[in-house]
Amino acid sequence: MHLHTKLALFAVVVLQFVLSAPLLAEPFDNTLSFGAYLVQYDAQAGDISGPFVPHGVNLSVDDVNTLYLAFIRRLTPSLSLELAGGVPPETKTIGKGLAKLGSVPYEGENIGSAKWFSPTVLLLYHFRDESEALRPYMGAGFNYTRFFDNKSTAAGDAANGGPTEISLSDSFGWAITLGIGYRINDRWAAHVSYSRSSVESDMEVNTAGVIRRTTIDFHPSVTVLSLAYSF
């Protein structure tokens, strides 16, 4: 028997096992979810202000991926409460307009980085009956983001004129989500969701006492691919 035939038969057996598993023999109140946390930024920032900074010096933020983790508590057949977050990733900042500072070699390079911890609380409403395998949902809540381990790179130090310290203020704002879940059996489910949240931070850059500032609106869009285990 060819390898492809064996793999096809194995896939059919696994699929039959999954589909034959009982659905919601008894509702479970707690769920742990884990998977991929894909973050895309549409960051907008005011021009950096401060001594020796001409108009038009700005920045952008690179997208990041990390591990998604969440705890979900079932409140009613239609409502649940989710506490979601991710393993803190490192987000890179890219310089824009640095040529106006005379830093042409560093234009478009990574000038700094920061890690962030961003727990989000969401009240979710699930459509369709609880006994059905496929259930869309939507939710709203709030997000808290704390930045830490802020660093200026060698390119950032050179563009700023010396060793530089970076600080970013905490952020508190709204969050919304749309998703769909497919229950594989009474304990396991697969989920896909898309979320938006408000994350805004005041950035201060200190180079030997020379202070420069801007405010960054990160506009994060988050896609989550996850597996959930109920108990």
Side-chain angles (χ1 to χ4, degrees):
M1 186 179 294
H2 294 297
L3 177 60
H4 292 300
T5 304
K6 291 180 180 179
L7 290 175
L9 289 174
F10 177 74
V12 169
V13 171
V14 172
L15 183 61
Q16 287 179 336
F17 173 78
V18 167
L19 294 179
S20 64
L23 290 179
L24 285 177
E26 177 183 342
F28 295 98
D29 289 333
N30 302 299
T31 298
L32 291 177
S33 187
F34 58 93
Y37 198 50
L38 314 176
V39 185
Q40 292 183 305
Y41 295 107
D42 182 22
Q44 298 177 6
D47 288 346
I48 298 173
S49 63
F52 319 114
V53 182
H55 178 74
V57 177
N58 211 299
L59 53 83
S60 62
V61 181
D62 275 358
D63 299 340
V64 293
N65 301 325
T66 189
L67 176 65
Y68 164 84
L69 301 167
F71 172 76
I72 303 164
R73 176 71 177 181
R74 176 181 176 273
L75 304 177
T76 73
S78 296
L79 293 175
S80 62
L81 191 66
E82 177 178 350
L83 174 60
V87 174
E90 183 177 76
T91 300
K92 296 179 180 179
T93 301
I94 307 302
K96 297 168 60 178
L98 299 185
K100 298 182 180 183
L101 287 171
S103 303
V104 177
Y106 307 109
E107 179 73 21
E109 287 197 24
N110 173 27
I111 59 172
S113 65
K115 293 182 178 180
W116 48 262
F117 174 63
S118 187
T120 302
V121 176
L122 295 164
L123 181 64
L124 303 177
Y125 179 81
H126 303 266
F127 298 92
R128 308 181 72 181
D129 189 81
E130 193 173 26
S131 63
E132 299 191 47
L134 195 66
R135 299 187 76 194
Y137 57 88
M138 61 185 299
F142 58 87
N143 162 276
Y144 170 75
T145 302
R146 181 175 182 81
F147 298 91
F148 65 98
D149 200 14
N150 308 317
K151 296 177 181 177
S152 174
T153 65
D157 289 349
N160 283 295
T164 299
E165 297 179 356
I166 300 173
S167 65
L168 290 159
S169 65
D170 297 349
S171 171
F172 184 87
W174 53 263
I176 56 174
T177 189
L178 292 171
I180 189 166
Y182 177 75
R183 185 166 292 281
I184 300 169
N185 56 39
D186 62 335
R187 290 189 181 271
W188 288 96
H191 290 260
V192 178
S193 66
Y194 174 80
S195 304
R196 296 294 302 266
S197 59
S198 173
V199 179
E200 185 175 287
S201 179
D202 296 324
M203 185 180 78
E204 182 177 283
V205 176
N206 185 338
T207 307
V210 177
I211 306 298
R212 302 176 176 107
R213 296 182 175 91
T214 189
T215 298
I216 308 171
D217 195 341
F218 288 87
H219 291 293
S221 299
V222 178
T223 300
V224 170
L225 309 174
S226 64
L227 285 175
Y229 176 79
S230 298
F231 58 97

